[in-house]
Amino acid sequence: MSETTSTVHRRAFLRGALGVGAGAVLAGPFSALATRAAAASPAGGPGHGRGHGRGHGRGHGRRHGDGGYGPLHPVRDETTGLELIKLPRGFQYMTFGWCNDRMSDGTPTPSLHDGMAAFRRGRHVHLVRNHEQGAGTPFAPDGAVYDQAAGGGTTTLVFDPHRGRLVESYASLSGTIRNCAGGPTPRGTWLTCEETTDIVGGVRHGYVFEVPASGTADPVPIVGMGRFSHEATATDPRTGIVYETEDAGSSALYRYVPNDPDDLHAGGVLQAMALEGTTDTIQWTTGTSARARWVTVDNPDWGPGEPSCWAQASAKGAARISRGEGAWYGNGVIYVVSTDGGPARQGQVFAYDPVAETFTCVFASPSADVLNAPDNICVSPRGGIVLCEDGDGREYLHGLTPDGEIFRFAENNVVLPSRFERTKGYAGDFTGSEWAGATFEPQDGDWLFVNLQSPGITFAITGPWRRGAL
């Protein structure tokens, strides 16, 4: 990727940004939908009245348009020359951080790339990336290892967005299990989440760990944030409250109210969301909304023979979400993804408004050909939403506009020739591998970084973002 190309895109972005106030993209349609649905709701029940489907109704049942970007075409990777993904015309990408590539610290890059966030540090972007590995051998330095019998963790990649190249990469945390997703904090750190409640050799897992954008982590779990099958977090910068999803068939939306937002280890209160008029969101359709309240989980660090966080929460009336996965703060709300919720059981996207205290389904997939099992989520600096698909068959990156248009932005096209077996240790058809860890470069928004979990590849995509909804 040339420096000239990147500069042109950056200038185009800045020109477009001058005409739009901060937050203007979302505050309209999504907030209006929540307000209409809440106003139409009968007392004590989820809203289905006039708010149902309005503002987002165009996403019902069929795909509309392409988000303003045009159809997808195979595009050659600037790194390998292979047509690894399909994108709209005008977009380019490079790859790095492949599984088994030797990192700057001499460590082979672990497999199973998952959640990720981008942080700006001077002229460089620091990417902290999860690896969803289980029990095994840690790959990080001893000072950044939680459990010597666990092989999950995080790696950090330093990228130069001006020259379009990887500068450095290294292991930043290990000794954890199934680091699935997580989320960035306003302090510029990454919260990595263990999607498990395993106990290995007497060591408990199922926690959240904090990883700095630069350097290695102090491998101490934040036990106050709960011990459960964590998926993702989203932090409200206004309050410092951290919202947490749980990847289980019966799961809650949790929030951690810290005593000190700048020190999550200083204790706090773990709560679960309850909803007026219902205890289940699985059948919610686009536009359904209810007022939220929060119940306390008394024993967040439960052990063998004790009630789990979900058992404690549900006993107090917490609302059930089916397989809560992606979460992201953007446009003034907390977005939450259910991978298999909705009447078609193909996934839902919710928005929790922390000011109005309402929980709204902003999109429910009507069929697998529209959206098939969304997982990770992120919000672009321009207000559009990116959804990482983790379904069956070919996998897509989807865009979701503020007025409810769902569209395909990228398609997994990874088929690696036999020579990759010699150079990287794998080859073959990976077109069914899930997307994960989508995150935009936070300062200019010129680059979208995203992972394919298998064989384990990180993509850096740039192009004419202002042309469309992202």
Side-chain angles (χ1 to χ4, degrees), residues 10 35-36 50 52 55 84 103 136 188-189 214 276 297 300 317 330 340 391 417 424 426 429-430:
R10 186 177 304 104
T35 301
R36 286 195 300 269
R50 292 180 305 153
H52 178 74
L84 299 177
M103 294 190 288
T189 61
S214 300
E276 291 185 2
V297 177
D340 63 0
K424 296 188 183 295
Y426 45 81
D429 188 333
F430 295 93

Side-chain angles (χ1 to χ4, degrees), residues 428-452:
D429 188 333
F430 295 93
T431 54
S433 176
E434 69 177 272
W435 293 97
T439 181
F440 279 89
E441 182 278 317
Q443 182 170 300
D444 299 327
D446 286 347
W447 294 87
L448 171 67
F449 303 96
V450 65
N451 298 318
L452 274 179

Side-chain angles (χ1 to χ4, degrees), residues 11 14 22 30 61 64 66 74 96 112 119 149 154 182 188 225 301 311 317 321 364 406 431:
R11 289 173 180 166
L14 292 172
F30 279 158
H64 286 268
D66 47 32
F96 49 81
L112 299 176
F119 307 90
T154 65
M225 295 185 71
D301 190 21
I321 295 172
I406 187 86
T431 54

Side-chain angles (χ1 to χ4, degrees), residues 201-227:
V203 179
R204 292 187 188 181
H205 289 267
Y207 298 113
V208 175
F209 296 78
E210 190 165 21
V211 183
S214 300
T216 58
D218 183 3
V220 178
I222 308 172
V223 296
M225 295 185 71
R227 179 172 170 263

Side-chain angles (χ1 to χ4, degrees), residues 131-140 150-154 173-179:
H131 296 273
E132 197 181 3
Q133 300 189 132
T137 303
F139 55 78
T154 65
L173 171 71
S174 193
T176 50
I177 291 178
R178 294 195 66 186
N179 296 66

Side-chain angles (χ1 to χ4, degrees), residues 72-73 75 77 83-88 92-96 112-116 129-130 132 179-181 231 323 325-326 337 339 371-378 386-399 407-415 430-439 448-461 465:
L72 305 185
H73 302 273
V75 179
D77 174 21
E83 295 177 340
L84 299 177
I85 57 177
K86 297 180 182 179
L87 292 166
Q92 300 168 281
Y93 68 97
M94 62 175 295
T95 61
F96 49 81
L112 299 176
H113 300 17
D114 212 289
M116 185 168 65
R129 179 182 63 191
N130 277 2
E132 197 181 3
N179 296 66
C180 199
E231 177 70 27
R323 293 197 61 199
E325 297 229 31
V337 173
T339 290
L371 178 65
N372 181 206
D375 192 330
N376 291 179
I377 184 174
C378 77
V386 175
L387 295 166
C388 296
E389 199 169 61
D390 180 15
D392 300 319
R394 286 265 178 160
E395 303 287 353
Y396 295 89
L397 274 183
H398 290 264
F407 62 94
R408 291 172 175 171
F409 174 75
E411 180 181 347
N412 176 357
N413 194 48
V414 176
V415 179
F430 295 93
T431 54
S433 176
E434 69 177 272
W435 293 97
T439 181
L448 171 67
F449 303 96
V450 65
N451 298 318
L452 274 179
Q453 188 168 88
S454 295
I457 309 170
T458 296
F459 294 78
I461 303 170
W465 298 108

Side-chain angles (χ1 to χ4, degrees), residues 102-168:
R102 188 73 59 177
M103 294 190 288
S104 304
D105 63 359
T107 305
T109 299
S111 63
L112 299 176
H113 300 17
D114 212 289
M116 185 168 65
F119 307 90
R120 193 66 185 250
R121 294 292 181 268
R123 66 178 285 115
H124 292 152
V125 177
H126 289 227
L127 299 165
V128 185
R129 179 182 63 191
N130 277 2
H131 296 273
E132 197 181 3
Q133 300 189 132
T137 303
F139 55 78
D142 286 344
V145 174
Y146 171 63
D147 179 1
Q148 291 294 337
T154 65
T155 54
T156 300
L157 305 97
V158 180
F159 181 79
D160 185 337
H162 304 279
R163 290 184 168 85
R165 66 183 182 90
L166 182 67
V167 175
E168 183 185 10

